[in-house]
């Protein structure tokens, strides 16, 4: 037979029946190795080549992980050892007809002995490619990877074990195909160690290399995707055989539900690998080759930022057993074994599959020097973001009070997680260190967070990102999109719901080394054998580069503690020990504001134009307090952003009423008119005009702000600035009017002194001056600016809370300084006394007219003169 035909014939025999013939050959050769040191003389050169390349690495394997996880007593090592033995021992059912498997195996070994050395080498180089190609075509349908387990299927041995057998055999085939695909690529790698290559040949060879490398990663991703489906499906039946086969049928229903949940968690962890490998396959088109000038004959591969080196950031082990099993012990007593099995399957997959890619890269790096693109992007790891407080509270609560993850989350919780992911991503894209606010309610809406702290809290265990597969290459791509062009949403590979998780992972791993422990813990290894036995645990070095470790550093914990104690603790402005005091102050404020408004309605002399303006100011303040302190704080309606918008709008309207009041005060002084000079009809007409002039700019500001906030969340800062600018201009105008009144007052006082006009009464007593100064502070709106200034403070939520309580004393102060003065209080007292007892004679109100008072005075004078005469 022709040499090429002989090799093809042997290849067809070895890969027949899903490589079961090759398994038989390997078992035969491995048995020979156990007979003694002279086994080499009993086999041919071709059999020896097959044993070296495709059989011996199944004889023993090493499982790696943290020493705490692998050291005895551990459920992980025995489970993986049993799994390894199962994969090596399980066989598919024999063919229904035709020659037996042993006949094919014997025929294959006979054909192998007739091959020459060159044919053996050709067979060795081509066998790996055929094994991988055969698995890519047929491994997907093996093992019922979409099986839904139930009580009947699990408890019935003749239903469960054939399915488990098929799945285990499929995992064995996939594992062999993954290793064989790497060997295939190793043998067909372009040879760059040639001195006679010119530039044209080099470019052609480079194109061939990129194409083969892309095909390798594509096939590797395809095989791993098959393996992920099968390994995830293995968890439930394996867990039943090792854990749940002694349960009652009643408990088994809940156990199956929990096992399915763990299976989904494991699949989420494994599925990120597939996306990474598919991305590497696409990125190989951007690899560039150039000759190394310092080492003639060697070449440099310049790789983009998104290269296969990022695969080293995928964690080599899970921590379900350590992190979650204790939390779920009460709900599911067998949780620790179930999570230990999930960790074991992950460690098995990483050791048998994922590390293959690492070894492949190491072999390729021997003749080439990879030079990776550096991340020459702005390092914003120290910036502070203004983010949604409720979402940060959710993250902090998940970290401080973790719960068991076996039960499916309620639909409301799932929606809350998705909304928080979208909200935090919007906040991150805005890149605003602090959003100006005009309401103390808005202070509870935003929390100022370090970018690294936000990333750590988002992607840590028990957080909002655990259902998002971890794809390192996609994370770095999204992070570059965020750092370089955050407004271009089209550059994101992740959708808006997952973007915060993707970007946070890359930021934490590549930019924020101080927020997570990247020095891996002590790693250990265990040798696994085909008979299910294993060696003792031994220490090993970190072989596979940098790895993510979820244990937080002291810096991260300190940042988190400062965030919780400074902001989140006061997010609702409800301190337990101050709650009675707060309620008392709010109640007193509302009561005295109502009293002040009632007095202005009750006394006729206060119903003039300034009185009506001040009454409008009081009514606006009452509505503002009722909306923010009663309706929102006690009822929870409306939502926080709308409550902030209403509160800010009413603050601006109050300042506009003060503008009208200050202008009328200036106009009276400027034109030497008293407020009571106008007739009631004229007062009503002018007041209506002032209301119209006040509502027009206020309505325009509210409409613009509402349109900005409702149109796009990115315009939140612009809407708040509109209110902030409007209030600042209003207060500035009040200060101008009050300043003019004060100037006129000082000028008139100086003029009267120069005219040497003396009187027993002073121009203004000290008490009157104090009252006027305090009223000026109230009317100017300076207190509003001071309050807003405190709301801009960073990290002083407790002081903002105290300022908030202090502002609740505004109602009593307004009553004291605007009602309890020498003009209004006597009138109010007399009116109240007359209302309580109509028979009481009020001084100077005994008679009905001035004529009667003059007549009575004359009578008194006449009586006195008559007495004097007498």
């Amino acid at each position: 037979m022709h040499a090429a035909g002989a090799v093809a014939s042997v290849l067809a025999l070895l890969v027949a029946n899903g490589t079961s013939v090759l398994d038989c050959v390997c078992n035969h050769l491995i048995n020979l190795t156990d007979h003694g040191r002279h086994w080499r003389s009993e086999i041919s050169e071709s059999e020896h080549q097959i044993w070296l390349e495709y059989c011996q690495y199944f004889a023993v394997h090493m499982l790696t992980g943290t020493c705490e996880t692998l050291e005895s007593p551990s459920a992980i090592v025995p489970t993986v050892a049993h799994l390894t033995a199962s994969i090596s021992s399980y066989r598919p059912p024999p063919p229904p007809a035709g020659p037996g498997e042993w006949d094919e195996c014997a025929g294959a070994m006979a054909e192998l002995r007739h091959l020459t050395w060159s044919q053996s080498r050709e067979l060795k180089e081509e066998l790996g490619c055929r094994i991988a190609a055969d698995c890519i075509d047929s491994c997907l349908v093996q093992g019922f990877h979409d099986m839904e387990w139930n009580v009947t299927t699990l408890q019935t041995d003749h239903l469960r074990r054939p399915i488990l057998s098929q799945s285990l055999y499929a995992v064995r085939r996939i594992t062999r195909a993954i290793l064989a695909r790497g060997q295939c690529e190793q043998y067909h790698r372009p040879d760059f160690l040639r001195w006679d290559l010119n530039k044209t040949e080099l470019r052609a060879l480079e194109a061939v290399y990129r194409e083969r490398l892309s095909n390798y990663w594509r096939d590797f991703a395809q095989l791993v995707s098959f393996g992920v489906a099968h390994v995830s499906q293995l968890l439930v039946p394996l867990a039943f055989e090792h854990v749940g086969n002694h349960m009652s049928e009643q408990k088994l229903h809940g156990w199956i539900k929990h096992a399915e949940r763990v299976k989904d968690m494991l699949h989420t962890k494994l599925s990120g690998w597939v996306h990474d490998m598919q991305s590497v396959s696409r990125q190989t088109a951007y690899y560039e080759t150039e000759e190394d000038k310092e080492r003639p004959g060697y070449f440099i591969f310049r790789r983009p930022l998104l290269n296969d080196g990022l695969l080293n950031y995928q964690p080599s082990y899970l921590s379900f057993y350590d992190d979650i099993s204790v939390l779920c012990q009460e709900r599911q007593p067998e949780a620790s074994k179930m999570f230990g099995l999930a960790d074991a399957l992950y460690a098995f997959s990483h050791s048998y599959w994922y590390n293959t890619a690492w070894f492949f890269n190491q072999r390729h790096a021997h003749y080439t020097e990879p030079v990776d693109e550096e991340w020459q992007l702005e390092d914003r790891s120290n910036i502070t973001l203004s983010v949604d407080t409720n979402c940060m509270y959710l993250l902090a609560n998940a970290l401080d009070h973790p719960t068991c993850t076996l039960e499916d989350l309620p639909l409301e919780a799932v929606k809350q997680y998705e909304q928080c992911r979208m909200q935090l991503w919007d906040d991150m894209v805005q890149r605003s260190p602090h959003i100006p606010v005009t309401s103390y309610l808005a202070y509870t809406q935003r929390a100022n967070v370090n970018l690294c702290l936000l990333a750590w809290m988002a992607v840590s265990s028990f957080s909002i990102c655990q259902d998002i597969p971890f794809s390192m290459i996609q994370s770095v791509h999204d992070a570059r999109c965020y750092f370089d062009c955050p407004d271009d949403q089209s550059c994101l590979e992740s959708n808006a719901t997952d973007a915060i998780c993707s970007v946070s992972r890359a930021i934490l791993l590549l930019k924020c080394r101080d927020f997570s422990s990247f020095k891996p813990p002590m790693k250990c290894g265990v040798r696994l054998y085909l008979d299910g036995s294993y060696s003792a645990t031994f220490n090993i070095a970190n072989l596979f580069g940098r790895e993510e470790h979820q244990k937080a550093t002291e810096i991260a914990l300190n940042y988190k503690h400062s965030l919780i104690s400074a902001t989140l603790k006061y997010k609702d402005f409800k301190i337990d020990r101050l709650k009675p005091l707060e309620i008392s102050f709010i109640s007193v404020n509302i009561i005295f504001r109502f009293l002040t408004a009632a007095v202005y309605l009750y006394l006729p002399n206060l119903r003039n134009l300034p009185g009506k303006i001040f009454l409008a100011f009081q009514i606006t303040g009452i509505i503002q307090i009722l909306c923010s302190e009663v309706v929102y704080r006690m009822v929870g309606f409306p939502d926080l952003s709308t409550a902030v918008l209403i509160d800010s709008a009413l603050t601006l309207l109050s300042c506009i009423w003060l503008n009208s009041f200050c202008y009328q005060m200036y106009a009276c002084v400027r034109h030497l008119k008293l407020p009571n000079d106008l007739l009631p009809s004229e007062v009503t007409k002018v007041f209506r005009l002032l209301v119209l002039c006040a509502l027009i700019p206020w309505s325009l500001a509210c409409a613009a702000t509402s349109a900005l906030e409702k149109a796009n969340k990115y315009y939140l800062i612009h809407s708040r600035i509109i209110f902030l600018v409007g209030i600042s201009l209003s207060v500035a105008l009040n200060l101008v009017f009050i300043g003019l009144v004060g100037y006129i007052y000082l000028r008139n006082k100086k003029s009267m002194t120069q005219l040497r006009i003396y009187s027993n009464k002073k121009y203004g007593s000290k008490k009157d001056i104090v009252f006027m100064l305090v009223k000026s502070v109230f009317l100017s709106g300076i207190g509003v600016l001071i309050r807003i200034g405190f709301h801009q403070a960073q990290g002083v939520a407790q002081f903002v809370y105290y300022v908030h309580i202090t502002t609740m004393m505004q109602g009593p102060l307004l009553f004291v300084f605007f009602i309890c003065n020498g003009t209004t209080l006597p009138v109010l007292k007399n009116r109240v006394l007359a209302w309580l007892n109509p028979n009481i004679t009020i001084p100077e109100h005994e008679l009905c007219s001035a004529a009667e008072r003059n007549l009575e005075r004359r009578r008194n004078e006449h009586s006195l003169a008559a007495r004097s005469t007498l």
Side-chain angles (χ1 to χ4, degrees), residues 15-43:
V15 299
N17 292 332
T19 66
S20 61
V21 176
L22 180 61
D23 296 338
C24 177
V25 171
C26 285
N27 286 333
H28 173 71
L29 296 176
I30 291 173
N31 290 333
L32 288 178
T33 62
D34 297 333
H35 292 167
R37 58 174 130 183
H38 301 292
W39 68 274
R40 176 68 181 84
S41 60
E42 301 179 9
I43 62 175

Side-chain angles (χ1 to χ4, degrees), residues 380-393 395-396 424 427-428 431-435 445-458 482 500 504 515 556 559-564 567-568 794-795:
R380 302 180 60 86
S381 59
N382 292 324
I383 67 171
T384 299
L385 302 177
S386 180
V387 299
D388 184 81
T389 309
N390 290 328
C391 291
M392 289 306 301
Y393 187 80
L395 294 179
L424 290 175
D427 295 336
M428 182 179 284
R431 295 187 178 184
S432 173
H434 187 67
I435 295 181
Q445 187 181 11
R446 317 298 298 177
N448 299 302
V449 186
N450 178 277
L451 176 61
C452 292
L453 178 62
L454 174 62
W456 174 74
M457 294 181 72
Y482 161 72
I500 182 67
S504 293
F515 277 79
Y559 266 88
K560 174 174 166 286
H561 176 72
S562 62
L563 171 71
I564 294 175
T567 302
L568 299 185
Q794 305 288 317

Side-chain angles (χ1 to χ4, degrees), residues 151-163:
V151 175
T152 302
T153 310
L154 285 176
Q155 288 184 334
T156 307
D157 291 344
H158 70 273
L159 294 178
R160 182 188 72 256
R161 289 185 175 175
I163 297 175

Side-chain angles (χ1 to χ4, degrees), residues 205-491:
L205 200 61
E206 177 188 356
V208 173
Y209 172 76
R210 286 202 305 263
E211 182 180 2
R212 292 199 62 88
L213 197 60
S214 177
N215 292 338
Y216 167 75
W217 284 110
R218 182 197 62 212
D219 295 344
F220 191 76
Q222 189 70 41
L223 291 170
V224 171
S225 67
F226 295 161
V228 167
H230 287 296
V231 166
S232 301
Q233 189 64 29
L234 275 174
L235 187 137
V236 178
L238 283 179
F240 176 79
E241 291 199 346
H242 291 83
V243 178
N245 52 5
H246 60 278
M247 289 186 178
S248 63
E249 184 173 343
Q250 182 179 2
K251 292 183 177 180
L252 193 58
H253 284 283
W255 182 91
I256 293 175
K257 179 181 178 182
H258 295 156
E260 291 284 350
R261 177 62 180 158
V262 176
K263 181 194 76 172
D264 295 339
M265 295 169 62
L266 176 62
H267 187 271
T268 299
K269 295 293 184 181
L270 292 172
S271 58
W273 296 0
V274 179
H275 187 281
D276 271 351
M277 295 165 187
Q278 291 173 343
S279 300
V280 169
S281 176
R282 293 191 296 268
Q283 290 298 320
T284 53
Y286 303 102
Y287 286 18
E288 296 180 356
T289 307
E290 63 182 41
E291 186 177 0
D292 191 349
K293 297 180 180 179
E294 297 181 359
R295 297 191 306 168
Y298 288 83
F299 293 86
I300 296 175
F301 282 93
R302 297 198 177 276
R303 302 185 297 185
L305 177 64
L306 307 179
N307 59 72
D308 50 272
L310 295 175
L311 298 178
N312 293 333
Y313 286 98
Q314 284 281 1
S316 60
Y317 54 89
L318 292 183
S319 57
F320 286 165
Y321 182 81
D322 296 330
D323 293 346
I324 308 177
S325 60
V326 176
L327 298 172
C328 299
Q329 200 67 30
E330 294 182 2
R331 186 178 297 276
Q332 175 54 257
E334 305 294 339
S336 60
K337 297 179 181 179
M338 198 182 305
F339 285 117
L341 178 60
D343 288 351
L345 292 176
Y346 185 93
F348 166 83
S349 304
H350 195 279
S351 299
Y352 278 82
W353 303 341
Y354 202 83
N355 288 344
T356 303
W358 184 84
F359 285 116
F360 173 79
N361 287 341
Q362 293 299 309
R363 288 195 297 264
H364 269 246
H366 180 68
Y367 300 110
T368 59
E369 183 68 26
V371 178
D372 298 338
E373 173 191 355
E374 295 183 3
W375 196 349
Q376 300 290 349
L377 298 173
E378 180 185 2
D379 188 354
R380 302 180 60 86
S381 59
N382 292 324
I383 67 171
T384 299
L385 302 177
S386 180
V387 299
D388 184 81
T389 309
N390 290 328
C391 291
M392 289 306 301
Y393 187 80
L394 178 66
L395 294 179
N397 188 62
L399 292 176
D400 293 338
H401 306 286
T403 57
C404 178
T405 56
L406 288 180
E407 296 290 343
D408 293 331
L409 291 175
L411 183 60
E412 295 181 359
V414 174
K415 290 182 178 179
Q416 187 179 15
Y417 278 16
E418 293 179 354
Q419 291 174 356
C420 274
R421 288 202 292 257
M422 295 183 67
Q423 178 63 53
L424 290 175
W425 174 244
D426 291 341
D427 295 336
M428 182 179 284
V429 171
Q430 288 178 17
R431 295 187 178 184
S432 173
H434 187 67
I435 295 181
V437 296
T438 57
S439 166
Y440 54 84
L441 288 178
Y443 193 90
T444 69
Q445 187 181 11
R446 317 298 298 177
N448 299 302
V449 186
N450 178 277
L451 176 61
C452 292
L453 178 62
L454 174 62
W456 174 74
M457 294 181 72
V459 303
S460 294
S461 298
F462 315 111
S463 191
I464 62 176
C465 294
Q466 296 310 302
D467 59 332
I468 307 298
F470 175 31
S471 171
M472 187 61 195
I473 293 181
Q474 176 178 315
S475 295
V476 175
H477 178 278
D478 293 345
R480 176 152 62 173
C481 176
Y482 161 72
F483 278 91
D484 195 24
C485 45
D487 295 331
D488 184 10
Q489 297 296 314
S490 62
C491 71

Side-chain angles (χ1 to χ4, degrees), residues 627-853:
C627 290
S628 60
E629 298 298 333
V630 178
V631 177
Y632 172 74
R633 296 280 298 279
M634 297 183 181
V635 182
F637 177 84
D639 59 280
L640 182 58
S641 59
T642 305
V644 170
L645 190 65
I646 294 173
D647 192 87
S648 301
L650 293 176
T651 301
L652 176 61
L653 183 58
S654 298
C655 292
I656 293 177
W657 291 132
L658 293 179
N659 287 144
S660 301
F661 190 92
C662 292
Y663 172 76
Q664 290 300 321
M665 182 173 60
Y666 164 73
C668 289
V669 175
R670 175 69 177 85
H671 300 289
L672 299 178
K673 295 191 306 181
L674 294 176
N676 297 325
D677 289 345
L678 295 177
L679 297 176
S681 59
E682 294 177 339
V683 170
T684 303
K685 183 178 180 181
V686 175
F687 179 70
R688 289 176 180 175
L689 181 62
L690 289 176
V691 170
L692 183 62
C693 294
L695 293 180
I696 289 177
W698 179 74
S699 301
L700 292 176
C702 292
T705 303
S706 301
L708 287 173
E709 291 200 10
K710 301 301 180 183
N712 197 324
K713 293 181 179 179
Y714 300 148
Y715 296 150
L716 177 63
I717 184 172
H718 304 89
S719 66
R720 301 289 168 80
I721 287 178
I722 290 177
F723 277 137
L724 190 62
V725 171
I727 292 172
S728 300
L729 291 176
S730 177
V731 172
L733 189 59
N734 290 337
L735 291 174
V736 171
F737 288 137
I738 293 175
L740 292 174
V741 172
Y743 169 73
I744 296 174
Y745 166 79
L746 295 176
R747 188 186 62 180
N748 292 341
K749 183 177 180 181
K750 184 178 179 180
S751 301
M752 294 180 67
T753 304
Q754 292 176 351
L755 292 174
R756 299 185 183 276
I757 298 177
Y758 297 98
S759 174
N760 293 330
K761 294 184 179 181
K762 296 183 178 179
Y763 194 69
S765 65
K766 293 182 179 180
K767 180 180 177 182
D768 294 336
I769 294 177
V770 170
F771 266 66
M772 285 190 295
L773 289 177
V774 175
K775 286 182 179 180
S776 300
V777 172
F778 274 114
L779 297 176
S780 65
I782 294 177
V784 176
L785 288 183
I786 293 175
R787 188 188 69 188
I788 293 175
F790 268 95
H791 299 159
Q792 315 311 309
Q794 305 288 317
V796 289
Q798 188 170 358
F799 294 102
V800 175
Y801 182 75
Y802 295 150
V803 171
H804 159 65
I805 294 180
T806 304
T807 55
M808 291 298 104
M809 293 303 297
Q810 188 178 26
L813 291 176
L814 286 173
F815 183 85
V816 170
F817 287 99
F818 284 84
I819 303 299
C820 300
N821 51 46
T823 304
T824 306
L825 186 59
V827 177
L828 176 62
K829 183 181 69 173
N830 295 331
R831 295 274 297 189
V832 172
L833 292 175
W835 177 70
L836 293 176
N837 189 357
N839 296 324
I840 294 178
T841 302
I842 301 175
E844 297 190 4
H845 285 271
E846 303 90 345
L847 302 175
C848 297
S849 66
E852 292 179 349
R853 289 198 298 271

Side-chain angles (χ1 to χ4, degrees), residues 554-655:
E554 197 67 26
I555 295 177
L557 294 177
N558 289 338
Y559 266 88
K560 174 174 166 286
H561 176 72
S562 62
L563 171 71
I564 294 175
S565 61
T567 302
L568 299 185
K569 182 179 179 182
Y570 307 98
K571 81 179 196 74
D572 292 324
F573 283 167
K574 292 180 180 178
I575 305 176
D576 294 336
R577 61 187 176 83
L578 294 179
K579 189 174 181 180
L581 180 64
E582 180 187 15
I583 295 176
S584 302
F585 274 46
I586 293 173
S587 302
V588 169
N589 188 16
I590 295 175
I591 291 172
F592 275 93
R593 280 185 174 270
F594 269 109
L595 287 176
T596 306
V599 169
Y600 269 76
L601 285 173
Y602 180 64
L603 295 181
N605 59 319
L606 294 182
R607 296 175 195 166
N608 51 25
L609 185 57
K612 288 191 174 184
I613 297 174
F614 188 76
L615 182 61
F617 166 77
Q618 282 291 82
I619 293 175
T620 303
I622 291 172
I623 296 174
Q624 182 179 2
I625 295 172
L626 291 176
C627 290
S628 60
E629 298 298 333
V630 178
V631 177
Y632 172 74
R633 296 280 298 279
M634 297 183 181
V635 182
F637 177 84
D639 59 280
L640 182 58
S641 59
T642 305
V644 170
L645 190 65
I646 294 173
D647 192 87
S648 301
L650 293 176
T651 301
L652 176 61
L653 183 58
S654 298
C655 292

